[in-house]
Amino acid sequence: MPALSVIIPVYNKGDYLADCLRSIQAQTLRDFEIVCVNNNSTDCSMNVVRKFAEHDPRIIVAEEKIPGAAAARNKGLDLARGQFITFVDADDYIDNTLFETYARKLNESDADVCIIGIDHFFPEIQTYLYPTKPGFTGPKTAEELDGNLFFVTTPSVCTKAFRRDSIERLGLRFNTQLKTAEDMLFSFTMLMKARSVYFVDEILYHYRQHVAGSLTHQTVRRGAQAFDSLEMLKQVAETSPAFDSLYAGLLNFSLEQARYIMQISCDADEFIEQYDAYMQTWWPQVKRNEVHIRPEQRYMFERFDKAQSAIELMHENWQDIVNTLNWYEQRCAQLEHQRSAETQERDDLKRCIGELEESTTYKVGKAIMAIPCTLKDKLRGL
């Protein structure tokens, strides 16, 4: 049985998959298997996988015809044999100590889950942004985390390793009815049910941003499934003795999710659909429990509270996006200026070296130094 299984859903990531697999093969921990699940790819993705598999017997190639990351990950869970399970998306890459960190921390503790930090890699500007990490290192129980549980990590399963026997003990699988937020449901269900969770305050996972066809950046409408996932998490929380604090955390988390989902809406119609869904489901609960809203979520609470319509909120959100795009433009300009300055400095240095080599002083010095160098070589031969 390998120490760890890494599950990779593969859907049209041929341009990035080799980088992903190389980062996995470079791990300092060697005892692991790679379960690549083809999810109806139509590009060169599986050619890349098979080429790597020819030279690496740790790679397991599987097929899942049911579309979606949930079904592909479930197939991987069915095949995985590792003591620990983690997930990597096919267009991302990881630090070479990630698997060793997971295995060491889970072996040293009785934790069911180990969580690390993540950042977002923007290849267009070769920049890492939005670092997210726990802020502390060590084990915590669900009771100790209480409502903070939803804010100490991202919803992604890619920032976590799970004990396989704990997944099986809880009978956990990804909900294939959810086409989005299925990892959020899986992750936070596991965290609420875990005996303890070990946190590592290091960024070891790098999420590639703005990739066409990404599992989380489709140009299709998502519907209101993220709010459905939140409702399912509420049902899980209801089985916990810490329900009150977990529910308060969920109320705040719903505001954060609403902000994110509306921000990435593919068009105005989807934005309105998401707004209406939130106002009908979670907003009444949030409004009734205003006393539990944290300072960090107060901004979004007030936006929803003051907005008279989806259009009004959309205008404010789009202004935020415009401000963000302006920041990116400025950042690109700064990087370009920095690159130009470095190029100019390098060219100036080359010119100075060339002028020095052509100078009489350099030529005379070189000739003088040739005499002791020749003697030194002859003495060495004696």
Side-chain angles (χ1 to χ4, degrees):
M1 179 177 69
L4 181 144
S5 298
V6 55
I7 297 169
I8 309 175
V10 180
Y11 175 70
N12 290 352
K13 291 295 180 294
D15 292 341
Y16 313 101
L17 194 49
D19 288 342
C20 173
L21 290 171
R22 276 193 287 266
S23 75
I24 291 172
Q25 289 180 323
Q27 292 297 298
T28 53
L29 177 75
R30 307 306 297 168
D31 183 20
F32 62 86
E33 64 180 7
I34 308 169
V35 184
C36 294
V37 183
N38 180 31
N39 196 213
N40 304 300
S41 293
T42 57
D43 69 348
C44 65
S45 293
M46 293 316 296
N47 290 336
V48 174
V49 171
R50 292 187 185 99
K51 185 175 180 181
F52 273 80
E54 287 175 3
H55 305 284
D56 192 338
R58 297 172 299 179
I59 296 177
I60 299 167
V61 182
E63 299 278 339
E64 177 53 69
K65 296 300 182 183
I66 300 173
R73 286 170 177 152
N74 284 343
K75 172 67 97 176
L77 285 172
D78 292 341
L79 296 172
R81 299 172 299 135
Q83 182 182 1
F84 311 122
I85 305 286
T86 191
F87 302 86
V88 173
D89 283 348
D91 47 353
D92 301 337
Y93 71 96
I94 57 178
D95 276 23
N96 67 345
T97 59
L98 177 59
F99 292 175
E100 182 181 355
T101 299
Y102 280 149
R104 185 173 68 252
K105 298 305 181 183
L106 288 170
N107 278 322
E108 290 174 354
S109 68
D110 63 350
D112 292 317
V113 187
C114 181
I115 295 177
I116 50 91
I118 183 174
D119 60 19
H120 292 221
F121 174 55
F122 289 76
E124 295 86 353
I125 56 176
Q126 290 294 297
T127 300
Y128 296 87
L129 298 173
Y130 309 133
T132 302
K133 55 182 184 176
F136 60 92
T137 294
K140 295 279 186 181
T141 64
E143 289 74 19
E144 289 174 317
L145 291 169
D146 57 54
N148 292 315
L149 179 147
F150 303 102
F151 295 95
V152 291
T153 182
T154 69
S156 172
V157 291
C158 294
T159 57
K160 302 165 184 70
F162 309 87
R163 287 189 186 274
R164 183 162 63 90
D165 60 1
S166 298
I167 292 175
E168 299 305 327
R169 172 173 55 84
L170 296 170
L172 267 186
R173 286 295 186 270
F174 292 87
N175 189 325
T176 56
Q177 300 304 308
L178 296 173
K179 300 307 177 188
T180 186
E182 77 289 338
D183 53 348
M184 178 170 75
L185 178 59
F186 187 98
S187 288
F188 289 124
T189 296
M190 190 69 191
L191 295 188
M192 284 190 279
K193 296 286 189 180
R195 291 166 295 190
S196 71
V197 180
Y198 200 100
F199 293 88
V200 177
D201 197 34
E202 295 180 52
I203 293 174
L204 300 174
Y205 191 100
H206 307 289
Y207 172 76
R208 189 184 294 267
Q209 188 74 59
H210 294 163
V211 178
S214 170
L215 290 172
T216 54
H217 285 82
Q218 305 285 354
T219 54
V220 298
R221 293 186 186 167
R222 299 161 186 79
Q225 291 195 330
F227 305 128
D228 294 338
S229 183
L230 285 173
E231 188 60 37
M232 295 175 194
L233 286 173
K234 179 183 173 183
Q235 293 171 12
V236 175
E238 287 172 344
T239 67
S240 169
F243 171 71
D244 289 343
S245 60
L246 290 172
Y247 182 51
L250 272 172
L251 293 171
N252 284 274
F253 189 59
S254 77
L255 282 166
E256 187 63 26
Q257 283 297 297
R259 178 200 62 78
Y260 172 73
I261 293 163
M262 292 177 199
Q263 192 174 63
I264 63 172
S265 295
C266 64
D267 56 31
D269 289 339
E270 186 187 5
F271 186 101
I272 294 170
E273 180 183 358
Q274 299 288 359
Y275 173 86
D276 289 343
Y278 187 71
M279 297 303 285
Q280 292 167 15
T281 55
W282 279 89
W283 175 248
Q285 301 177 64
V286 171
K287 181 67 173 172
R288 285 196 306 271
N289 294 276
E290 181 179 353
V291 66
H292 295 301
I293 301 306
R294 305 175 180 204
E296 298 87 348
Q297 278 70 53
R298 175 61 56 178
Y299 172 68
M300 276 309 297
F301 177 89
E302 292 177 352
R303 276 200 169 184
F304 275 104
D305 201 30
K306 292 176 181 177
Q308 299 298 311
S309 66
I311 300 299
E312 183 179 332
L313 188 62
M314 187 190 309
H315 175 76
E316 293 183 5
N317 278 23
W318 282 0
Q319 186 58 53
D320 287 346
I321 293 173
V322 169
N323 293 339
T324 301
L325 290 174
N326 288 338
W327 182 89
Y328 284 138
E329 288 180 1
Q330 293 172 9
R331 177 62 176 159
C332 286
Q334 290 171 357
L335 289 171
E336 184 58 36
H337 177 74
Q338 180 181 339
R339 196 175 297 116
S340 298
E342 290 172 352
T343 301
Q344 183 63 48
E345 184 178 350
R346 187 166 55 250
D347 291 344
D348 291 345
L349 183 59
K350 285 181 179 179
R351 187 177 65 255
C352 288
I353 293 172
E355 291 173 355
L356 177 63
E357 290 176 341
E358 291 300 318
S359 68
T360 302
T361 302
Y362 176 83
K363 291 177 180 178
V364 170
K366 186 177 181 181
I368 292 172
M369 290 303 297
I371 297 171
C373 286
T374 302
L375 288 172
K376 184 178 175 183
D377 289 340
K378 285 185 177 180
L379 288 171
R380 228 180 242 156
L382 294 177

